[in-house]
Amino acid sequence: MKKLLTLALAVMLCLSVCAVASAEGFVIGFSNYNNEISWRTQMEAEFTYRAEELKAEGIISEYYVYEANGDQAKQIADVQDLITLGVDAIVLPTITADGLNAAIEEAMEEGIIVVNFDNNTTADISCKLTVSDYNHGWVSGQWLGDQLIANGTEEGNVIVLRGGVGTSTDANRYQGGVDGLLDKCPNVKIVAEEACNWDYATAKTTVETLLATYPQIDGLISQGGAMTQAAIDAFNEAGRELCPMTGEGGNGFMRAWIENADSGFQSMAFNNPAFSSRIALDCAVTLLQGGTIEDCTALITENYGVEPTVDGTVINMAFPQISLDDAKELYDSTLNDDFWPGTYLPHEVLEGIFPVAN
């Protein structure tokens, strides 16, 4: 009888503690490795806005946002700080594939839910959200190959604009793009590969130099919308005929694409929505509430219109590429070039982040 009473008290205590934890809400940590480009700035804002919604609903009680300024040691320290704060879950993109593994594993050992998205880790974690950067590159390379064949320049000169060298995003988009292009045009000449860090100004200067170096450029693979926009501007300012170029679904690139389409400019854009951080936060909360990976995939399909595939704890998402007709619908002239269409942020919030100059 005494043992039964002790057991009953233990169960009641457990239920009481669980009820208090539920009433207080979860504590979430977000570690961003940088927000130096507009996609990452918007991505962080998408996370913060969703966190405020969940806080208002009482589902989370507090959240912390850390930004590492592109410094791996700083991101490691940020994750360790979040562990010390006793957060219930950590949501993060990782600056490198394996550089944060020890810190992430420490968090997992402490019973913290870890959800990774965007730049992916090799660590074994609670949930990993992927949008295939290799596939982004592959469809871009395949598309460019088709344009070169149609133009009779399948053995012509192509330049490649890379993103942030050293990141998994850059490595996978680069390899996919080259593989896709060579699959269509095995004798094409890739005359230059330049790292432009997804930055307009860097890409503009780079393409200006390449135009002065190569009198004939037949195609361009770009990993980012701002870099393609810069390439369009550089070609036009140099008086050079625009070649087929791949792009990404940013506002400025879509504007440039639309403005030059009547002159025969050909392009396409892969789509990597900045609201991936919002999806990651929703998945973290689902897991904290006792849900499974399958529950996360159901949530993604219901709330975001994407039907993922699952491999263990890895959820693979694919978003359709953007055509010219899509670009005309998505482009927002009331926001500046840095905006990334496809968002859950209210327009008044977006106006504060991406105002059009008067």
Side-chain angles (χ1 to χ4, degrees), residues 51-334:
E52 286 291 338
E53 289 181 328
L54 292 169
K55 193 172 181 181
E57 294 169 16
I59 295 172
I60 68 175
S61 60
E62 191 57 84
Y63 64 94
Y64 302 97
V65 175
Y66 281 62
E67 205 272 296
N69 301 310
D71 183 342
Q72 180 168 283
K74 173 68 164 59
Q75 191 175 27
I76 292 170
D78 289 347
V79 171
Q80 291 171 335
D81 281 352
L82 291 170
I83 294 170
T84 301
L85 285 169
V87 298
D88 298 299
I90 295 174
V91 176
L92 79 170
T94 57
I95 189 168
T96 59
D98 57 7
L100 271 75
N101 284 12
I104 289 171
E105 288 163 3
E106 181 183 346
M108 293 287 292
E109 289 169 1
E110 292 293 327
I112 297 170
I113 295 289
V114 178
V115 177
N116 172 223
F117 72 101
D118 184 30
N119 266 25
N120 291 125
T121 178
T122 57
D124 184 15
I125 59 171
S126 311
C127 176
K128 190 181 301 182
L129 296 167
T130 72
V131 179
S132 176
D133 284 305
Y134 182 88
N135 186 64
H136 286 331
W138 174 266
V139 297
S140 299
Q142 290 272 289
W143 177 89
L144 182 59
D146 286 336
Q147 306 310 305
L148 296 178
I149 292 168
N151 294 339
T153 55
E154 60 265 39
E155 296 185 8
N157 295 340
V158 169
I159 61 177
V160 178
L161 301 183
R162 300 188 63 164
V165 175
T167 65
S168 62
T169 301
D170 169 76
N172 292 327
R173 288 184 186 179
Y174 167 77
Q175 196 60 56
V178 170
D179 289 350
L181 175 60
L182 294 179
D183 177 69
K184 292 278 187 176
C185 303
N187 297 315
V188 76
K189 303 176 187 68
I190 298 176
V191 296
E193 298 174 0
E194 300 291 340
C196 299
N197 202 36
W198 298 294
D199 176 64
Y200 176 94
T202 305
K204 179 83 179 300
T205 301
T206 297
V207 175
E208 288 170 346
T209 301
L210 293 174
L211 287 169
T213 304
Y214 300 101
Q216 183 64 33
I217 298 174
D218 301 292
L220 181 148
I221 296 180
S222 168
Q223 287 193 11
M227 297 192 299
T228 312
Q229 180 187 357
I232 292 169
D233 291 347
F235 269 71
N236 283 336
E237 290 171 16
R240 294 275 288 268
E241 182 178 353
L242 291 169
C243 64
M245 302 180 189
T246 69
E248 183 183 15
N251 210 42
F253 162 66
M254 286 195 270
R255 177 183 58 76
W257 183 5
I258 294 165
E259 289 174 351
N260 288 276
D262 289 343
S263 302
F265 173 60
Q266 296 291 321
S267 191
M268 57 79 70
F270 61 82
N271 187 20
N272 185 30
F275 60 76
S276 55
S277 57
R278 177 187 177 102
I279 298 176
L281 176 54
D282 280 349
C283 288
V285 169
T286 298
L287 295 175
L288 285 169
Q289 291 174 329
T292 64
I293 291 294
E294 288 69 26
D295 293 323
C296 291
T297 61
L299 176 151
I300 292 168
T301 300
E302 181 178 352
N303 292 354
Y304 299 99
V306 176
E307 295 187 5
T309 59
V310 178
D311 181 10
T313 59
V314 179
I315 300 174
N316 304 294
M317 301 181 294
F319 297 89
Q321 66 188 58
I322 296 169
S323 67
L324 177 59
D325 287 340
D326 296 328
K328 289 177 179 178
E329 289 186 15
L330 290 167
Y331 171 64
D332 191 334
S333 62
T334 68

